[in-house]
Amino acid sequence: MAEGYLTTHVLDTARGCPAAGVRIRLYRMEEAGPEALADAVTNADGRTDAPILGQEDFRTGIYELVFEAGSYLKASGAAVAGPLFLDSIPIRFGITDAQNHYHVPLLLSPFGYSTYRGS
């Protein structure tokens, strides 16, 4: 059994606070197509209440986190009229070590985002 697990969180860099209420979906990219693994919403600290992928399902492979940022940006008042510049934000990444912790955060503003492999 793998000892690794996957966590994430969302920070609103425009407002300088955690982004609460962001829906996050996780997929494993398989040859037959994406396999849905998790669906969570960030809490008041901008984190999911538990790892978005726990040890029992953790393995090497290609994954995709989809952050539904548009609803959060609208609710926070940061969104402008008309179509949003950012709405669903997919981040595709690889896990090569099933014994390790992977942390993939999203730093969000209405017109840009960044991510990195955290600790």
Side-chain angles (χ1 to χ4, degrees):
M1 179 175 173
E3 294 182 14
Y5 58 99
L6 174 66
T7 57
T8 186
H9 74 276
V10 184
L11 297 175
D12 183 331
T13 57
R15 296 174 56 212
C17 63
V22 177
R23 181 179 180 203
I24 305 168
R25 290 174 286 131
L26 174 67
Y27 300 92
R28 183 180 293 121
M29 309 314 288
E30 302 286 357
E31 284 187 33
E35 175 188 359
L37 298 177
D39 193 329
V41 176
T42 58
N43 59 26
D45 196 34
R47 299 176 184 276
T48 56
D49 289 331
I52 197 149
L53 184 62
Q55 292 178 336
E56 63 280 355
D57 297 315
F58 197 79
R59 66 179 200 237
T60 61
I62 304 296
Y63 292 81
E64 184 171 274
L65 285 165
V66 179
F67 297 86
E68 298 300 339
S71 296
Y72 168 80
L73 292 169
K74 287 177 187 173
S76 73
V80 296
L84 296 175
F85 182 72
L86 294 174
D87 193 6
S88 294
I89 300 173
I91 298 175
R92 193 169 288 188
F93 59 96
I95 291 177
T96 59
D97 182 357
Q99 303 305 314
N100 215 328
H101 171 213
Y102 283 72
H103 183 68
V104 182
L106 178 71
L107 306 178
L108 175 65
S109 73
F111 298 102
Y113 67 90
S114 65
T115 190
Y116 57 93
R117 179 170 175 201
S119 59

